[in-house]
């Protein structure tokens, strides 16, 4: 049989040659056709480019969000053990939990804790090298157990991960922080001083970990050994199972562990160890539950998170917007392709008479759509490159266009799919023409094409109207939260952190110096202030009640003039000033706290409040009641709150007036320097700090606004092309109408009314969808705007106006044509 091989090989080569020749001819025909209709080609390529660029940018964002904690070895075996009660879920857990899990469960290979100490969101780090002192306030510093790097495998650039936390007072720096303090030098074994409100403490640097490109919900700048001279003894004393839930407990399970079975055992485990402590705190019921490490960043919507988390719904919304934008671009191609069906029908008829089959025509038309899509992809990369800096600014990320291979591969495949999707219907629609019918001038394809085009235009503008309304609702809600009366004065409040013992000790002198400036009206001190996380709380009960009746009240430790400085409204009693003293520690409660304790606002002043801590009964006296206020963002409801008079340090707050902000800043810095406070002079403003609570929403709003504009642009681009083609087909009709006396305005109305009806239908369809999406987004806020009927009217009018301006531009140009020019060929 070998004598037939050459013939078989020859046939294969001949078939391959014919295949290549066929596709080459199809490519030539496609390019020739696209060049013949340059304006429509530009519209389609530009629309596809913008759609693919949107998908590329959003795809990079989504891939980045999905990459959190995926780099950690054995991450699928690591879980966080969190708390839940009937009212809430809490990421923190009690101090002894990790050791208890390690001792009681064979499934647990190892356990570790991270601690974010209350009111130490910033720490002052000091270093001295070659006689030169360097100091900065740094955030994202966490205390960790010695087992931390046995559970989490960080890449160490210096030092050894398994021994880095072996000694007390050890600190491990990120590569970025190490470079900030020590440049290119190896900092291992160097000394680093941690300045805290209760003293300065020396640590030894035992390692440097890589943080470039690392995505984790544990977004640390540095790790401090939990065995130390500053809070070490306090941590050792936190053995209560019902309180001190400021530890994040992680377990690494054995590979063969049954996760469901292990989680079910946590309830009796916690009851066995914590029942007595819970009973002493009033019989509260708490349970433990597991959170897979890889799900925490996107799916952990619970209180007291370690850091900023993402949101899976945001990814869904962004992804949907990108897909819709690309669909609008594909619809443009389909609309314009079917609109030209009458002109291309004769081409198809002649080619069929000359022997072309349906499959060959389908390949040609699909080839045209693929060329459009791939040309759009090339332009999309250019557009994405230009938009990337602005997109990073909107999202708060540092994305690079070519950082990852997978998103680039995905966008290429998406371009192929988009090309096929856009070209499939036109290809089969155009290739199905019957030659005899077409060449006799009895082509009727326009009716079916028209009905489909109506549906597609409706779909386009329904999406656009939904996006316009979402932009409208989001902007109104953000304006609402910015302008809502929060119950205190957030504007013109200067914040100076006092995080070292030296700064706290000089507070009174600094206060007096600041008050010498006539623009500064009041100065106070507080452990926390509105807008930042406050987790210090206590279980209190009223006079005549017992520990069974406790109420959880959040605390802030404040100095004199706190209420006056922040402008809280006093309902009863007095504020904290130097003139007033009391036998008991003094507290001011908000209305919610008073009612939760069982008191009435009118007679609460002078009443006592008790709490028990480590077997000791403590009593405080209520000296005032303030009106309820939003101490946190409007995402959360107002909770019971207490101001307790005690100068613990934390933050100096200075209220100033007038427009002399710069003068106040210069004066404050001069006072700081004059007192030789060793800390660096840093500051913020309360209104800006409070506004950071809405950063996620603002970023989502800005991204949706940007992409809504792109969607509207693409829809209008397609509508413009469709109008241009439809008016071209009716040129002679318009010439005859004008000859018969029709006015320019009547011609414009004639050409616009069909599109107007279609867009109006799209707006009506978009209303229920927009209503559902708006309500779902507003559910994130405890205090929100009410959706008004006129939102939908304004949205509809905007969408209709945009569409009509697009259509009218082409219609007016056609209506103004000289009828002689329109009819001269007749």
């Amino acid at each position: 049989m070998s004598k037939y091989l050459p013939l078989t090989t020859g046939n294969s080569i001949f078939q391959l040659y014919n295949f290549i020749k066929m596709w080459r001819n199809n490519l030539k025909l496609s390019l020739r056709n696209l060049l013949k209709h340059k304006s429509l080609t530009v519209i389609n390529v530009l629309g596809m480019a913008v759609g693919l660029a949107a998908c590329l940018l959003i795809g990079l964002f989504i891939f980045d969000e999905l990459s959190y904690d995926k780099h950690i070895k054995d991450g699928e075996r690591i879980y966080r053990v969190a708390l839940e009660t009937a009212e809430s879920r809490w990421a923190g857990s009690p101090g002894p939990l990790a050791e208890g899990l390690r001792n009681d469960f064979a499934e647990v290979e190892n356990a570790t804790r991270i601690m974010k100490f209350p009111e130490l969101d910033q720490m002052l780090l000091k270093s001295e090298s070659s006689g030169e002192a360097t100091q900065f306030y740094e955030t994202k510093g966490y205390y960790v157990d010695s087992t931390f790097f046995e559970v989490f495998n960080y890449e160490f650039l210096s030092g050894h991960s398994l021994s880095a936390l072996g000694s007390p007072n050890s600190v491990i720096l990120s590569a970025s922080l190490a470079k900030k303090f020590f440049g290119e030098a190896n900092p291992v074994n160097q000394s680093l001083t941690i300045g805290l409100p209760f003293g300065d403490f020396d640590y030894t640097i035992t390692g440097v970990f890589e943080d470039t490109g690392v995505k984790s919900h544990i977004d640390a700048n540095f790790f401090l050994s939990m065995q130390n001279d500053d809070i070490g003894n306090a941590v050792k004393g936190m053995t209560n199972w019902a309180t001190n839930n400021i530890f994040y407990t992680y377990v690494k399970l054995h590979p063969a562990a049954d996760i469901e079975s292990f989680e079910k055992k946590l309830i009796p485990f916690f009851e066995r160890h914590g029942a007595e402590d819970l009973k002493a705190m009033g019989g509260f019921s708490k349970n433990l539950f597991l959170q897979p490490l890889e799900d925490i960043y996107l799916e952990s919507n619970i209180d007291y998170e370690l850091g900023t988390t993402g949101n899976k719904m945001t990814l869904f919304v962004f992804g949907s917007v990108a897909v819709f934008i690309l669909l609008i671009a594909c619809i443009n191609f389909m609309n314009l392709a079917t609109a030209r069906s009458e002109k291309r029908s004769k081409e198809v008829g002649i080619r069929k008479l000359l022997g072309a089959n349906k499959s060959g025509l389908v390949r040609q038309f699909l080839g045209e759509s693929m060329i459009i899509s791939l040309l759009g992809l090339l332009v999309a990369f250019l557009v994405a490159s230009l938009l990337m800096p602005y997109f990073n600014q909107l999202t708060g990320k540092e994305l690079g266009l070519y950082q990852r291979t997978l998103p680039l591969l995905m966008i290429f495949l998406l371009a192929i799919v988009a090309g096929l999707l856009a070209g499939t219907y036109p290809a089969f629609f155009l290739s199905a023409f019957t030659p005899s019918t077409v060449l006799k001038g009895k082509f009727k394809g326009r009716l079916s094409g028209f009905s489909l085009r109506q549906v597609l235009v409706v779909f386009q503008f329904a999406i656009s109207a939904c996006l316009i309304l979402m932009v409208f609702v989001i902007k109104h809600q953000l304006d609402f939260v910015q302008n809502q009366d929060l119950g205190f004065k957030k504007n013109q409040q200067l914040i100076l952190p006092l995080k070292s013992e030296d700064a706290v000790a000089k507070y009174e002198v600094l206060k007096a110096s600041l008050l010498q400036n006539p623009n500064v009206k009041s100065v106070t001190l507080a452990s926390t202030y509105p807008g930042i996380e406050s987790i210090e709380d206590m279980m209190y009960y009223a006079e005549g009640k017992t520990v069974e009746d406790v109420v959880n009240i959040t605390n802030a430790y404040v100095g004199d003039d706190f209420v006056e400085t922040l402008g809280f409204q006093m309902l009863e009693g007095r504020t904290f000033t130097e003139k007033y003293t009391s036998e008991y520690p003094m507290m001011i409660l908000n209305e919610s706290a008073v009612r939760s304790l069982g008191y009435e606002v009118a007679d609460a002043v002078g009443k006592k409040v008790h709490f028990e801590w480590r077997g000791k009964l403590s009593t405080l006296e209520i000296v005032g009641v303030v009106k309820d206020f939003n101490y946190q963002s409007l995402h959360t409801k107002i909770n019971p709150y207490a101001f307790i008079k005690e100068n613990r340090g934390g933050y100096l707050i200075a209220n100033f007036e007038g427009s002399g902000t710069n003068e106040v800043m210069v004066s404050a810095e001069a006072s700081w320097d004059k007192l030789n406070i060793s800390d660096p002079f840093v500051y913020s403003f309360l209104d800006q700090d409070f506004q950071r609570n809405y950063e996620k929403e603002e970023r989502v709003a800005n991204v949706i606004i940007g992409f809504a504009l792109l969607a509207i642009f693409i829809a209008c681009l397609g509508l413009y092309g469709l109008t241009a083609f439809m008016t071209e087909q009716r040129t002679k009709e318009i010439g005859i109408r004008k000859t018969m006396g029709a006015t320019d305005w009547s011609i414009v109305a004639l050409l616009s009314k069909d599109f107007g009806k279609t867009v109006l239908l799209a707006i009506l369809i978009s209303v229920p969808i927009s209503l559902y999406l708006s309500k779902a987004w507003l559910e994130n806020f405890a205090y929100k705007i009410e959706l008004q009927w006129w939102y939908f009217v304004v949205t509809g009018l905007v969408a209709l106006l945009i569409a009509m301006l697009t259509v009218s531009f082409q219609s007016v140009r056609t209506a103004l044509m000289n009828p002689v020019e329109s009819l001269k060929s007749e």
Side-chain angles (χ1 to χ4, degrees), residues 181-207:
F181 274 94
F182 301 98
E184 300 300 328
N186 186 354
V188 171
N189 296 324
Q190 295 285 330
S191 178
L192 191 68
T193 301
I194 310 294
L196 302 176
F198 39 87
D200 289 349
F201 301 90
D202 292 328
Y203 278 74
T204 301
I205 300 169
T206 56

Side-chain angles (χ1 to χ4, degrees), residues 724-763:
F725 196 83
M726 300 303 288
T727 52
E728 182 186 338
Q729 286 186 315
R730 302 180 70 175
T731 300
K732 290 182 173 58
E733 174 194 344
I734 292 165
I736 294 171
R737 285 178 179 273
K738 291 193 74 171
T739 303
M740 300 298 293
T743 63
D744 292 341
W745 172 248
S746 67
I747 297 297
V748 172
L750 174 70
L751 295 173
S752 302
K753 67 178 182 179
D754 288 339
F755 287 110
K757 291 176 183 177
T758 304
V759 173
L760 191 60
L761 176 62
I763 292 167

Side-chain angles (χ1 to χ4, degrees), residues 767-819:
V767 169
I769 303 171
S770 302
L771 184 63
Y772 170 78
L773 293 174
S774 300
K775 285 186 174 181
W777 187 79
L778 288 171
E779 284 302 312
N780 292 316
F781 294 86
Y783 303 93
K784 50 185 176 282
I785 60 172
E786 293 292 332
L787 293 175
Q788 305 292 333
W789 62 268
W790 57 269
Y791 287 7
F792 300 92
V793 173
V794 171
T795 298
L797 290 175
V798 169
L800 188 62
L801 179 64
I802 292 170
M804 288 300 95
L805 286 174
T806 305
V807 172
S808 299
F809 178 80
Q810 191 63 245
S811 302
V812 168
R813 193 174 70 170
T814 305
L816 294 176
M817 285 179 61
N818 189 335

Side-chain angles (χ1 to χ4, degrees), residues 54 57-59 61-62 314-315 317-322 325 387 390-397 399 467 470-471 474-475 478 695-711:
L57 292 172
I58 289 179
F61 175 85
I62 291 174
T314 299
L315 302 191
V317 170
F318 283 8
S320 299
V321 169
I325 289 175
L387 293 179
Y390 306 101
F391 186 70
N392 280 335
Q393 189 175 353
L394 286 178
T395 58
K397 289 187 174 290
L399 303 174
L467 290 173
M470 285 303 297
V471 168
I474 290 171
K475 293 299 288 182
L478 291 178
E695 277 186 345
K696 282 185 183 179
E697 285 74 20
E698 287 181 341
R699 286 173 179 169
V700 169
N702 290 332
V703 171
I704 289 179
I705 289 169
F707 286 106
L709 293 175
L710 288 180

Side-chain angles (χ1 to χ4, degrees), residues 415-428:
I416 299 294
V417 171
L420 293 174
L421 176 66
T424 297
Y425 179 78
F428 284 95

Side-chain angles (χ1 to χ4, degrees), residues 150-167:
E150 296 174 21
V151 176
F152 296 95
N153 67 313
Y154 279 65
E155 180 187 350
F156 268 56
L157 302 178
S158 299
H160 301 283
S161 61
L162 297 181
S163 60
L165 293 168
S167 302

